[in-house]
C-alpha cells in the first residue's frame, strides 16, 4: 500500500529541520529507521520526502539491519569526487591569466572589454579546455582573495604637497571670522540638470505598479534646456541659497548669485560685517585662476563696501567643500526618483529641502544671460595694483579683494 501524501509531507518538514544537523551516516540511518517503520513502500516514501535516492535509503536499511559498528568516518579515505582544482591542475593558473591582465587593462586579454562575471570567465575557461561552472569559478576567486566590489572614489589626482597646510589655513581663517561674528560662506556650482521628463536617479514611494513614466533617451529638450544651480552655504546659520540659472555657468553668474544673497540675506544676518570669507573650489566658474571671477568680486566689493577674502581648496579636493555634503547632497536626496519636469519643479524642490539638523534653503530662478568675458593682462595688472591682494601663504589660493575706494 502506498504511503499517504500527508505522511510524506509531514516527514519532509521533519527531515528539513533534522537532517542538516547530522553527518552523512547518521542521516542514512535515520532515514532507514523511518522507512522500516513505515513498512511496504517506506523506502520510496522516505526517499521522496528527504529528496534523496531510494538507493541511499535502501543502503541505510541494510546497514541498520546488519548491526555494523559506528565508523570513524562516513567515507573511506579518498572516496568522493576530487575538487576540480585538483583534477585540473592548470585551472587556477588559467583563471588568474584571465583576471589579472584584464585588471591591469591589457588590451590583449580576451575579456578586456567585457564584464568580469563568473559566467564570462567560465565560458572563456571552457573554450580553452577547462570545463568548469560559474559557481566553481566564484569559489576559486574567493579562495584566491577576490571578492565582488564596486568602484571606490578615492583617486583625487595628483596630491599637492601643501594640501593639508591649505586645509589648516582655511580652517583657521574660518574660525577667526566666525569668532568675530563675520559671515563665512561655501560656494560652488551643482551638477547641471536636464529640464523635462527625464529619468532621475533614486526611488520614491508611489502606488505599486504605477511608476512615473519618463523618456527613454536623455536628449536635451531644445525649449527647456539645462539649468545651472549655483549654491551658497552659510556655515554659521546652517542655511542655503541656490540660484537656478538658465544661461551659462560663468563667473559673472556666480558672483551675481553671491551679490543677490548678500543683498537679501547676508547684510541682514550680519549688519555690522565689513568682511566676507568665501571658500571655493579651485576650478570652474569660481576657480582661483578665473580672471572674470576676481574682476566681478572686485566690483561686488566696491558696491557693498565689503573686504572679500577668498580661500580655495587645492586641486582634487572639491569633495571636502562644505557645501557639497551640507547642502548639495541633501538637495539630491530630496529630488531623487523625481523627474525635473520644469523650472518651477526644480526651484520648489530645492526650496523645500530641509534636514533634521535645521537646514533651510532658499531657491530662485535667474533667466538673465551671462556671457563669458575675456579679461586682459592690462586689466589684471590694474586689479592687482588696486584691489587684489595676495596672501603671503600661497597667494594663488588665498587673497583679499578690497573696495576700490579703500584700496591701499
Amino acid at each position: 500500500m502506498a504511503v499517504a501524501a500527508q505522511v510524506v509531507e509531514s516527514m519532509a518538514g521533519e527531515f528539513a529541520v533534522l537532517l542538516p544537523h547530522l553527518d552523512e551516516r547518521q542521516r542514512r540511518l535515520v532515514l532507514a529507521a523511518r522507512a522500516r517503520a513505515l513498512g511496504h513502500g517506506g523506502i520510496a516514501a522516505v526517499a521522496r520526502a528527504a529528496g534523496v535516492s531510494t538507493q541511499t535509503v535502501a543502503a541505510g536499511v541494510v546497514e541498520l539491519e546488519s548491526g555494523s559498528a559506528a565508523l570513524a568516518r562516513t567515507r573511506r579515505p579518498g572516496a568522493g569526487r576530487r575538487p576540480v582544482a585538483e583534477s585540473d591542475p592548470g585551472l587556477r593558473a588559467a583563471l588568474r591569466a584571465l583576471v589579472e591582465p584584464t585588471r591591469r587593462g591589457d588590451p590583449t586579454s580576451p575579456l578586456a572589454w567585457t564584464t568580469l562575471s563568473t559566467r564570462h570567465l567560465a565560458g572563456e575557461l571552457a573554450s580553452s579546455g577547462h570545463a568548469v561552472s560559474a559557481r566553481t569559478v566564484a569559489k576559486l576567486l574567493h579562495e584566491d582573495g577576490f571578492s565582488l566590489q564596486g568602484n571606490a572614489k578615492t583617486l583625487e589626482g595628483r596630491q599637492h604637497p601643501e594640501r593639508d597646510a591649505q586645509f589648516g589655513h582655511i580652517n583657521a581663517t574660518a574660525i577667526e571670522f566666525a569668532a568675530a561674528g563675520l559671515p563665512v560662506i561655501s560656494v560652488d556650482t551643482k551638477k547641471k540638470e536636464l529640464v523635462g521628463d527625464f529619468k532621475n536617479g533614486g526611488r520614491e514611494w508611489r502606488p505599486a505598479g504605477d511608476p512615473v513614466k519618463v523618456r527613454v533617451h536623455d536628449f536635451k529638450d531644445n525649449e527647456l534646456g539645462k539649468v545651472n544651480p549655483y549654491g551658497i552655504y552659510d556655515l554659521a546659520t546652517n542655511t542655503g541659497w541656490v540660484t537656478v540659472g538658465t544661461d551659462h555657468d560663468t563667473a559673472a553668474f556666480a558672483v551675481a548669485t553671491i551679490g543677490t544673497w548678500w543683498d537679501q540675506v547676508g547684510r541682514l544676518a550680519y549688519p555690522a560685517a565689513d568682511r566676507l570669507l568665501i571658500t571655493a573650489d579651485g576650478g570652474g566658474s569660481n576657480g582661483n585662476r578665473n580672471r572674470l571671477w576676481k574682476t566681478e568680486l572686485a566690483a561686488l566689493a566696491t558696491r557693498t563696501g565689503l573686504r572679500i577674502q577668498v580661500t580655495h581648496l587645492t586641486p582634487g579636493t572639491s569633495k571636502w567643500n562644505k557645501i557639497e555634503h551640507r547642502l548639495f547632497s541633501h538637495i539630491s536626496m530630496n529630488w531623487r526618483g523625481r523627474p525635473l519636469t520644469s523650472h518651477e519643479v526644480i526651484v520648489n524642490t530645492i526650496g523645500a529641502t530641509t534636514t533634521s539638523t535645521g537646514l533651510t534653503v532658499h531657491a530662485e530662478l535667474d533667466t538673465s544671460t551671462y556671457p563669458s568675458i575675456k579679461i586682459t593682462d592690462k586689466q589684471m595688472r590694474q586689479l592687482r595694483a588696486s584691489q587684489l591682494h595676495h596672501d603671503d601663504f600661497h597667494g594663488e589660493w588665498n587673497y583679499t579683494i578690497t573696495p576700490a575706494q579703500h584700496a591701499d
Side-chain angles (χ1 to χ4, degrees):
M1 180 182 295
V3 178
Q6 297 93 321
V7 175
V8 174
E9 184 177 351
S10 175
M11 287 192 298
E14 178 184 338
F15 293 154
V17 174
L18 175 63
L19 297 184
H21 300 282
L22 307 178
D23 62 29
E24 184 179 336
R25 183 170 186 264
Q26 290 169 339
R27 288 195 297 271
R28 194 165 57 242
L29 294 178
V30 166
L31 297 178
R34 179 55 63 87
R36 287 183 62 192
L38 290 174
H40 181 70
I43 290 178
V46 168
R48 187 163 63 255
V52 300
S53 68
T54 55
Q55 290 87 344
T56 298
V57 181
V61 171
V62 172
E63 187 175 356
L64 189 65
E65 293 178 345
S66 68
S68 301
L71 300 175
R73 56 184 296 133
T74 57
R75 290 185 179 181
R76 66 180 183 278
R81 182 183 298 175
R82 296 173 60 194
V84 67
E86 293 182 13
S87 60
D88 184 357
L91 176 59
R92 286 187 185 273
L95 178 57
R96 292 194 191 103
L98 286 176
V99 177
E100 292 294 337
T102 308
R103 190 169 57 172
R104 294 193 300 267
D106 184 352
T108 63
S109 168
L111 295 177
W113 310 114
T114 187
T115 58
L116 283 184
S117 69
T118 54
R119 179 173 59 86
H120 282 144
L121 290 168
E124 191 62 34
L125 287 169
S127 66
S128 59
H130 302 279
V132 64
S133 68
R135 180 178 296 182
T136 301
V137 168
K139 180 181 177 182
L140 293 175
L141 288 173
H142 278 294
E143 290 175 357
D144 280 359
F146 287 82
S147 64
L148 285 172
Q149 299 180 43
N151 302 144
K153 288 187 176 182
T154 57
L155 302 180
E156 298 177 347
R158 186 175 180 180
Q159 180 174 314
H160 197 284
E162 296 283 2
R163 185 190 75 163
D164 291 344
Q166 177 64 3
F167 278 144
H169 178 77
I170 293 173
N171 188 54
T173 306
I175 291 174
E176 174 196 338
F177 269 69
L182 297 170
V184 179
I185 60 173
S186 173
V187 302
D188 198 11
T189 303
K190 196 179 185 302
K191 180 177 71 71
K192 294 179 177 64
E193 300 289 350
L194 284 169
V195 185
D197 50 351
F198 300 102
K199 180 177 175 58
N200 198 2
R203 296 181 292 177
E204 66 175 356
W205 289 101
R206 287 185 56 81
D210 184 30
V212 176
K213 295 177 176 58
V214 296
R215 303 187 195 187
V216 174
H217 302 292
D218 292 341
F219 298 127
K220 183 176 70 172
D221 187 296
N222 291 329
E223 182 179 348
L224 297 174
K226 294 182 178 181
V227 292
N228 307 296
Y230 191 87
I232 298 169
Y233 176 71
D234 185 334
L235 276 69
T237 62
N238 191 27
T239 58
W241 175 288
V242 178
T243 297
V244 179
T246 58
D247 196 44
H248 301 296
D249 175 29
T250 68
F253 169 59
V255 176
T257 300
I258 297 172
T260 304
W261 167 83
W262 176 255
D263 293 338
Q264 298 190 28
V265 177
R267 67 182 180 85
L268 301 177
Y270 305 94
D274 60 352
R275 290 189 293 161
L276 168 67
L277 176 62
I278 300 175
T279 63
D281 290 350
S285 59
N286 47 224
N288 64 301
R289 295 185 179 182
N290 192 317
R291 292 183 172 187
L292 182 58
W293 161 254
K294 296 173 182 176
T295 303
E296 292 291 327
L297 283 178
L300 178 62
T302 300
R303 180 175 72 79
T304 60
L306 290 168
R307 290 173 62 91
I308 301 175
Q309 191 164 338
V310 184
T311 59
H312 290 276
L313 281 78
T314 57
T317 60
S318 61
K319 67 181 180 180
W320 300 108
N321 200 352
K322 295 293 185 184
I323 195 171
E324 296 292 340
H325 47 88
R326 299 257 183 109
L327 177 60
F328 287 166
S329 62
H330 298 296
I331 293 173
S332 297
M333 286 189 289
N334 194 42
W335 68 26
R336 67 185 185 276
R338 179 178 305 173
L340 306 176
T341 53
S342 68
H343 295 146
E344 181 182 14
V345 167
I346 294 173
V347 170
N348 289 341
T349 305
I350 293 175
T353 302
T354 59
T355 67
S356 59
T357 57
L359 171 71
T360 58
V361 184
H362 172 83
E364 61 180 39
L365 185 67
D366 185 349
T367 58
S368 303
T369 57
Y370 294 96
S372 181
I373 302 172
K374 183 177 181 180
I375 305 301
T376 65
D377 292 344
K378 180 180 179 180
Q379 289 174 303
M380 286 305 300
R381 284 194 297 270
Q382 292 174 341
L383 188 63
R384 294 190 189 98
S386 58
Q387 293 180 260
L388 177 59
H389 312 282
H390 294 281
D391 290 6
D392 293 334
F393 177 76
H394 282 287
E396 73 276 21
W397 299 331
N398 308 292
Y399 49 87
T400 301
I401 299 176
T402 57
Q405 62 268 31
H406 297 153
D408 296 335

